[in-house]
């Protein structure tokens, strides 16, 4: 359904067609915020959150990076506060997305899906880093995406890129991934070193 609507009408297509396609895409995924279609100018054209349609994302990391990305490249953006509504307070979300291209290779815009950072934190809690250790995932722009425990580095804060360290009390392991480009820092405390 999604690809059919995309190829027939592109980001500027019929709102009711896009609403059905996005709703169907979102229905099978838990922990997901909005699914959004952004045109080449960085304007939100369609979304499962209608109140954000028409807003500009031109200067956001995701819109800038997907314009340069390869067709199959997944882009992870920096944490972003949602709009508060009368029934929902503002929360931080992390948009992920990719470039939308026509069959002839023409760039049409991008699609973004946002998720709540709480979802991966359950997995991070399973990593044994000791009683005073922490595990943190950092965006290439130096913004914390996830941290466990959360007080170690609150989500959305800017941090210096970590370096590997070993001393009497801690070992800090730093791992970098290329797809998507992220930095994972694990700080293990001394009780795990014996």
């Amino acid at each position: 359904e999604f690809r059919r609507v995309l190829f027939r009408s592109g980001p500027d297509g019929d709102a009711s067609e896009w609403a059905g396609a996005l709703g169907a895409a979102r229905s099978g995924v838990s922990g997901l915020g909005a699914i959004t279609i952004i045109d080449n100018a960085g304007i939100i054209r369609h979304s499962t959150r209608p109140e954000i349609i028409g807003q500009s994302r031109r200067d956001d990391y995701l819109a800038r990076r997907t314009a340069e990305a390869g067709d199959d490249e997944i882009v992870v953006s920096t944490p972003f506060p949602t709009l508060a509504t009368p029934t929902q307070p503002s929360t931080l979300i992390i948009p992920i997305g990719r470039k939308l291209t026509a069959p002839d290779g023409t760039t049409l815009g991008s699609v973004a899906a946002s998720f709540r950072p709480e979802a991966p934190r359950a997995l991070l809690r399973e990593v044994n880093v000791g009683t005073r250790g922490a595990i943190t995932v950092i965006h290439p722009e130096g913004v914390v995406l996830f941290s466990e425990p959360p007080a170690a580095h609150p989500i959305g804060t800017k941090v210096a890129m970590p370096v590997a360290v070993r001393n009497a009390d801690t070992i800090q392991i730093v791992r970098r991934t290329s797809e998507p480009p992220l930095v994972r820092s694990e700080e293990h405390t001394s009780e795990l070193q014996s």
Side-chain angles (χ1 to χ4, degrees):
E1 174 76 13
F2 181 88
R3 288 178 105 29
R4 182 185 63 74
V5 173
L6 172 65
F7 293 144
R8 187 170 63 193
S9 59
D12 295 326
D14 182 69
S16 63
E17 270 194 308
W18 272 111
L22 295 177
R26 187 175 184 270
S27 67
V29 183
S30 63
L32 198 60
I35 299 178
T36 302
I37 303 296
I38 304 165
D39 69 14
N40 277 333
I43 305 299
I44 296 174
R45 294 297 175 197
H46 307 281
S47 180
T48 55
R49 289 210 50 189
E51 68 273 15
I52 66 172
I53 293 172
Q55 291 184 0
S56 175
R57 294 291 186 266
R58 182 182 62 233
D59 296 328
D60 292 350
Y61 180 87
L62 185 80
R64 292 189 330 262
R65 184 67 190 97
T66 54
E68 306 163 358
D71 289 346
D72 293 330
E73 187 176 338
I74 298 294
V75 176
V76 179
S77 193
T78 54
F80 189 97
T82 62
L83 286 176
T85 68
T87 59
Q88 279 185 321
S90 178
T91 61
L92 283 177
I93 57 167
I94 299 174
I96 59 171
R98 64 176 291 205
K99 180 188 293 189
L100 292 176
T101 55
D104 68 0
T106 305
T107 300
L108 300 172
S110 59
V111 59
S114 58
F115 66 95
R116 295 174 195 92
E118 297 81 31
R121 285 193 44 225
L123 174 64
L124 295 180
R125 277 189 208 108
E126 299 301 317
V127 177
N128 186 355
V129 292
T131 57
R132 295 183 324 268
I135 185 167
T136 306
V137 177
I138 304 166
H139 189 274
E141 294 202 339
V143 178
V144 174
L145 296 176
F146 315 106
S147 187
E148 188 58 39
H153 301 286
I155 293 169
T157 58
K158 272 279 229 200
V159 295
M161 285 298 189
V163 294
V165 173
R166 182 182 184 117
N167 62 37
D169 295 326
T170 63
I171 296 175
Q172 183 161 355
I173 302 167
V174 178
R175 294 188 174 102
R176 297 177 191 281
T177 62
S178 58
E179 287 295 325
L182 298 173
V183 176
R184 185 179 83 210
S185 171
E186 298 174 27
E187 187 175 308
H188 299 267
T189 56
S190 59
E191 69 267 19
L192 291 176
Q193 298 176 36
S194 35

